[in-house]
Amino acid sequence: MGKNVTGVGRPRASGAAASSRSAREAVLEAAGELFTGAGYAATTTRAIAERAGLRQASLYYHFPSKEDILAALLAATVRPSLDVAGGLSGGEAPAAARLWALAYADIRLLGGARHNLGALYLLPEIASPNLAPFRAERAQLKSVYRDLVAETGAPAESIGVRANLVFGLVESVAIIRRDDPVLDVEAHAVEGADGVLRLAGLPEPGAALRTTARALLTRS
C-alpha cells in the first residue's frame, strides 16, 4: 500500500454546505481516490476530509467512521447491478440473453467507475460485522447469476461451480483494471459477457443474442 495522502484540499466547508448532499458525495469521491490509491489502512479520516475540502467534524456528520465510508462505496458496486437484475427478471427473453446482459452491465459498472472500487473486495475489512449488508447484497447478486445459469439448462450438479466461475469472471475486471488502468472497458464487457455464457455451457454468442441483450438493458 502507498503512503497516507494528506495534501491540501479545497477550502473547507461548514454549516449548510457541510451538511449538503454535495458534501457527502465529496467525501465518497475523496475516499474512493484515497482508498484505491494510498490504500484503505493508510488513509485517515483527516486525509479524506482535507481532500474533500471539509472539516473533519463535517465528515463525521455524514459518516460516523471510516468503515461507514467504505460500506457506502462498496454498496455502489453492487446495487446498480441488482437494479439491472430486477429489471431483467420475469421477462420472456431467453435466459442466455438475460445472463449476457447482466454480466455486460456488471463488468461495465466495475470497469468503468471513476475509481477501481472492486479492488477493495480483497480488503480483510470486508469481513467486518459492519459490512454485513454489503456482503448480503453481493451474495444476492451472486444468487441471481446462479439462477440464470440454472435457467440456461446447466446440469444440476454443475450449477454451483459454474455460478462461482461466472461471478469470478465478472469481478476479475477489478484485478485486470488494477494492472491495466487504461483498459478498454467496452471490449472487456463484451468479451467478458461472452465468456460468461461459455462458462455456463452455452454456445458461442452471436450478434443477434448481443443485440437482444442490449435491448433488454435499455428497457430495464
Side-chain angles (χ1 to χ4, degrees), residues 19-38:
S19 62
S20 67
R21 178 178 177 84
S22 62
R24 186 179 190 278
E25 293 304 318
V27 170
L28 292 175
E29 167 62 23
E33 179 182 355
L34 292 171
F35 288 171
T36 58

Side-chain angles (χ1 to χ4, degrees), residues 80-106 148 151-152 193 197 207-220:
S81 294
L82 283 172
D83 289 341
V84 170
L88 295 172
S89 66
E92 297 181 357
R98 287 181 281 128
L99 178 58
W100 194 98
L102 179 58
Y104 172 82
D106 208 355
L148 286 171
E151 280 191 59
T152 65
L197 294 197
L209 185 142
R210 297 189 194 102
T211 298
T212 299
R214 285 192 172 99
L216 291 173
L217 291 174
T218 63
R219 298 197 297 266
S220 63

Side-chain angles (χ1 to χ4, degrees), residues 114-133:
R114 181 173 173 82
H115 303 296
N116 189 18
L117 300 178
L120 301 177
Y121 290 1
L122 300 177
L123 290 172
E125 288 80 4
I126 291 295
S128 166
N130 290 340
L131 292 176

Side-chain angles (χ1 to χ4, degrees), residues 22-178:
S22 62
R24 186 179 190 278
E25 293 304 318
V27 170
L28 292 175
E29 167 62 23
E33 179 182 355
L34 292 171
F35 288 171
T36 58
Y40 177 78
T43 299
T44 64
T45 54
R46 178 180 178 182
I48 297 170
E50 289 185 351
R51 182 61 60 90
L54 298 170
R55 298 183 185 278
Q56 197 167 4
S58 299
L59 179 150
Y60 288 131
Y61 174 84
H62 297 283
F63 299 99
S65 70
K66 187 171 74 166
E67 200 168 69
D68 290 314
I69 302 173
L70 177 62
L73 290 172
L74 291 174
T77 69
V78 293
R79 288 179 184 169
S81 294
L82 283 172
D83 289 341
V84 170
L88 295 172
S89 66
E92 297 181 357
R98 287 181 281 128
L99 178 58
W100 194 98
L102 179 58
Y104 172 82
D106 208 355
I107 294 171
R108 280 180 60 86
L109 173 68
L110 293 173
R114 181 173 173 82
H115 303 296
N116 189 18
L117 300 178
L120 301 177
Y121 290 1
L122 300 177
L123 290 172
E125 288 80 4
I126 291 295
S128 166
N130 290 340
L131 292 176
F134 160 71
R135 294 196 301 275
E137 289 179 327
R138 184 165 171 256
Q140 181 183 352
L141 180 59
K142 185 176 180 180
S143 72
V144 174
Y145 278 103
R146 180 187 176 95
D147 291 344
L148 286 171
V149 168
E151 280 191 59
T152 65
E157 65 273 13
S158 71
I159 289 173
V161 172
R162 293 187 186 191
N164 285 338
L165 292 171
V166 161
F167 202 56
L169 172 58
V170 169
E171 292 191 341
S172 71
V173 72
I175 304 302
I176 297 170
R177 181 179 175 183
R178 184 188 62 188

